[in-house]
């Protein structure tokens, strides 16, 4: 992995951890640990992951945007978990499916800004 890609990978993880700490009070995002009764969100997450695994990453991200509910922290955690899941793919898989780590980082930045964390647009 190139140094620039390794840096992006770590930046994605660090920014996710920052948003999670500030907004969720958690130092680690793990959507798999959701409580019972959040079946709708669990199903959405599984659908997003399946789409990503099949290489349909852009449509999965669009679905995430459509399904997000403002001011619902469960959806925030779901979205952060989804982006961290995407970050686990290797560069070749992302490239083959017209997606990049920069897009992952941009998605996380937009989440933070949507939730009121300002000044993260220029973090790299």
């Amino acid at each position: 992995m190139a140094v620039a890609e390794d840096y992006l990978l770590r930046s994605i993880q660090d920014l996710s951890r920052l948003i999670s700490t500030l907004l969720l009070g958690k130092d680690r995002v793990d959507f798999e640990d959701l409580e019972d009764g959040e079946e709708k969100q669990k199903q959405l997450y599984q659908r997003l992951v399946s789409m990503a695994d099949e290489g349909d990453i852009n449509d999965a991200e669009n679905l995430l945007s459509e399904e997000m509910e403002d001011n619902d922290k469960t959806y925030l955690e779901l979205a952060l978990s989804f982006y961290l899941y995407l970050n686990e793919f290797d560069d070749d898989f992302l490239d083959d499916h017209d997606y990049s780590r920069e897009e992952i980082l941009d998605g996380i930045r937009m989440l933070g800004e949507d939730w009121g964390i300002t000044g993260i647009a220029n973090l790299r």
Side-chain angles (χ1 to χ4, degrees):
M1 180 179 292
V3 174
E5 291 300 317
D6 188 45
Y7 179 76
L8 274 174
L9 192 136
R10 282 192 323 271
S11 294
I12 290 164
Q13 293 168 340
D14 292 345
L15 186 55
S16 295
R17 191 172 20 261
L18 172 70
I19 292 170
S20 178
T21 300
L22 292 173
L23 297 176
L24 300 172
K26 299 179 177 184
D27 63 352
R28 182 168 118 26
V29 176
D30 187 0
F31 192 74
E32 298 294 326
D33 288 342
L34 277 182
E35 300 296 320
D36 292 334
E38 296 166 334
E39 216 43 55
K40 179 182 174 187
Q41 294 91 339
K42 286 181 182 180
Q43 289 175 1
L44 174 60
Y45 182 74
Q46 288 306 316
R47 185 169 174 205
L48 295 171
V49 166
S50 292
M51 291 173 76
D53 287 342
E54 294 168 7
D56 199 7
I57 301 170
N58 286 301
D59 285 341
E61 187 178 41
N62 291 340
L63 177 62
L64 174 64
S65 294
E66 291 168 13
E67 296 292 325
M68 285 290 293
E69 291 187 19
D70 295 339
N71 300 318
D72 186 332
K73 289 186 178 182
T74 303
Y75 283 92
L76 173 62
E77 187 167 8
L78 182 155
L80 287 171
S81 294
F82 173 69
Y83 284 116
L84 287 171
Y85 184 82
L86 294 181
N87 199 38
E88 295 299 317
F89 287 120
D90 65 33
D91 295 331
D92 290 335
F93 183 86
L94 293 173
D95 287 341
D96 289 347
H97 296 95
D98 298 317
Y99 209 79
S100 67
R101 290 207 198 282
E102 289 86 3
E103 288 176 284
I104 297 170
L105 189 58
D106 289 343
I108 294 171
R109 283 182 185 138
M110 287 191 304
L111 272 176
E113 289 173 1
D114 288 348
W115 280 80
I117 299 176
T118 59
I120 61 174
N122 297 322
L123 289 179
R124 243 331 200 185

